[in-house]
């Protein structure tokens, strides 16, 4: 989509794409703020489409810049994984212990906290570490009966827009056990 034909509309689209409110975008374009007018103008399909395009362009250019930066720094996924493994190995093996004179004693002291942190990072990179948390009040599901859980689940399915036919199929397969 090309730049909007009206410069003020382009200013509004850029301001909205930058995360400004409708009021701020409307004022940035030089208009005197009136909520109804600002809302109507900001919801125009051409402006909304331009905002989406600007956001997409910015995301693409940021991704390209990040890619170029990583390329220049020679940071690849393999490099990072190798370094994480190396740090974990060093942490487990530990650093050499020195006597009062500064001479190595031949003993190594492991840094298990660093090793555990490294292992957590490696697990996260590998997709093995998943953080789970409840969105509503803690323990809500634990206090529900099976019938209440069933009802809540199917309400969520309906909220997602699943058809009655799909709900019947899910219910049939869930209770076939």
């Amino acid at each position: 989509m090309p730049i909007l034909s009206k410069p003020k509309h382009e200013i509004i689209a850029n301001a909205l794409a930058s995360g400004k409110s409708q009021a701020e975008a409307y004022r940035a374009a030089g208009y005197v703020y009136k909520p109804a007018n600002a809302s109507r103008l900001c919801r125009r399909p051409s402006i909304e489409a331009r905002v989406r395009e600007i956001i997409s362009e910015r995301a693409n250019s940021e991704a390209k810049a990040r890619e170029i930066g990583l390329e220049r720094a020679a940071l690849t996924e393999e490099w990072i994984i190798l370094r994480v493994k190396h740090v974990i190995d060093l942490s487990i093996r530990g650093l050499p212990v020195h006597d009062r004179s500064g001479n190595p004693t031949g003993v190594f002291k492991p840094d298990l906290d660093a090793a555990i942190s490294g292992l957590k990072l490696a697990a996260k990179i590998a997709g093995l570490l998943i953080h789970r948390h409840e969105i509503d009040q803690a323990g809500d599901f634990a206090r529900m009966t099976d019938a209440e859980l069933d009802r809540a689940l199917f309400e969520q399915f309906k909220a997602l827009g699943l058809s009655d036919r799909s709900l019947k199929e899910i219910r049939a397969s869930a209770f076939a056990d």
Side-chain angles (χ1 to χ4, degrees):
M1 172 179 206
I3 292 174
L4 295 172
S5 58
K6 294 186 177 178
K8 286 186 174 187
H9 291 190
E10 184 67 21
I11 291 169
I12 288 173
N14 275 291
L16 290 171
S18 296
K20 295 195 179 198
S21 68
Q22 287 182 350
E24 293 169 325
Y26 199 70
R27 286 187 187 112
Y31 292 112
V32 175
Y33 178 66
K34 292 185 181 164
N37 293 344
S39 176
R40 194 176 311 111
L41 183 60
C42 292
R43 285 186 292 127
R44 276 192 176 180
S46 60
I47 291 179
E48 287 179 336
R50 182 68 178 136
V51 169
R52 284 191 299 275
E53 182 183 36
I54 291 169
I55 291 171
S56 176
E57 287 173 357
R58 287 179 185 170
N60 288 340
S61 68
E62 286 174 12
K64 285 179 187 173
R66 193 176 310 109
E67 196 174 296
I68 290 168
L70 289 173
E71 217 172 89
R72 286 185 182 165
L75 290 176
T76 63
E77 188 175 336
E78 294 82 23
W79 185 89
I80 292 169
I81 291 170
L82 281 172
R83 294 308 181 270
V84 168
K85 286 173 63 176
H86 181 69
V87 168
I88 292 169
D89 290 341
L90 284 175
S91 299
I92 291 171
R93 188 190 76 196
L95 297 173
V97 177
H98 295 84
D99 62 14
R100 291 180 188 225
S101 314
N103 299 320
T105 61
V107 177
F108 288 83
K109 183 179 179 193
D111 185 352
L112 297 180
D113 288 336
I116 289 170
S117 294
L119 289 169
K120 283 181 181 177
L121 178 60
K124 204 180 271 188
I125 290 171
L128 301 173
L129 192 61
I130 301 170
H131 291 285
R132 294 184 175 101
H133 62 278
E134 291 189 37
I135 294 173
D136 212 353
Q137 297 295 321
D140 275 353
F141 294 119
R143 290 187 285 274
M144 291 178 140
T145 65
D146 286 347
E148 289 171 332
L149 281 169
D150 182 46
R151 205 170 20 261
L153 178 65
F154 284 98
E155 284 175 13
Q156 291 298 315
F157 286 158
K158 282 184 182 177
L160 290 171
L162 292 175
S163 67
D164 288 337
R165 180 177 173 214
S166 297
L167 291 174
K168 287 178 186 174
E169 290 174 5
I170 292 169
R171 192 173 261 134
S173 67
F175 296 112
D177 298 335

